[in-house]
Amino acid sequence: MVGKYHVVTLCGSTRFKDQFMEVQKKLTLEGNIVISVGLFGHSGDDEVWAPGTKDMLDDMHKRKIDMADEIFVINVGGYIGDSTRSEIEYAGEHGKVVKYLEEQQ
């Protein structure tokens, strides 16, 4: 397996910080390179809300999707917000596999 790592970008609401950390650990131990969010705006990283920062982070996350083979959506309780929905659409438009923490209804 050495040298043949699958790249996964995590997507989802930053209110689910604990789940992001759990999934990142699980996927890493399975032999994946995991790209995650840099800040958790809905979990206390208030810098996200400075003028222009959220737009920059949203764009940056799309670049992280560009680098990935797939995205893994952290959709606790089935929740998918507008930003995450946009990332799922972007990933689909760019031929990325989309997987979910919880099954979609």
Side-chain angles (χ1 to χ4, degrees):
M1 176 117 181
V2 175
K4 293 271 191 182
Y5 302 109
H6 201 68
V7 180
V8 181
T9 295
L10 302 182
C11 298
S13 174
T14 58
R15 72 186 70 189
F16 302 128
K17 182 177 182 177
D18 291 341
Q19 290 83 356
F20 264 85
M21 302 310 286
E22 289 171 16
V23 169
Q24 178 175 319
K25 180 178 179 178
K26 177 182 180 291
L27 292 174
T28 298
L29 289 171
E30 290 174 356
N32 298 285
I33 294 171
V34 180
I35 303 171
S36 189
V37 298
L39 297 165
F40 290 90
H42 292 291
S43 295
D45 289 332
D46 293 331
E47 301 90 341
V48 169
W49 312 116
T53 302
K54 173 100 170 59
D55 289 338
M56 177 197 66
L57 293 172
D58 287 347
D59 182 64
M60 191 182 295
H61 208 72
K62 298 247 171 75
R63 303 299 72 81
K64 292 176 181 182
I65 292 169
D66 290 339
M67 292 188 282
D69 299 303
E70 70 181 51
I71 68 167
F72 191 98
V73 180
I74 311 293
N75 60 327
V76 177
Y79 178 79
I80 296 175
D82 291 339
S83 291
T84 303
R85 192 169 318 285
S86 170
E87 292 163 357
I88 293 167
E89 290 171 6
Y90 182 85
E93 290 167 1
H94 290 83
K96 309 296 179 172
V97 173
V98 179
K99 295 183 180 174
Y100 295 87
L101 178 65
E102 297 183 9
E103 283 189 41
Q104 290 295 100
Q105 298 295 325

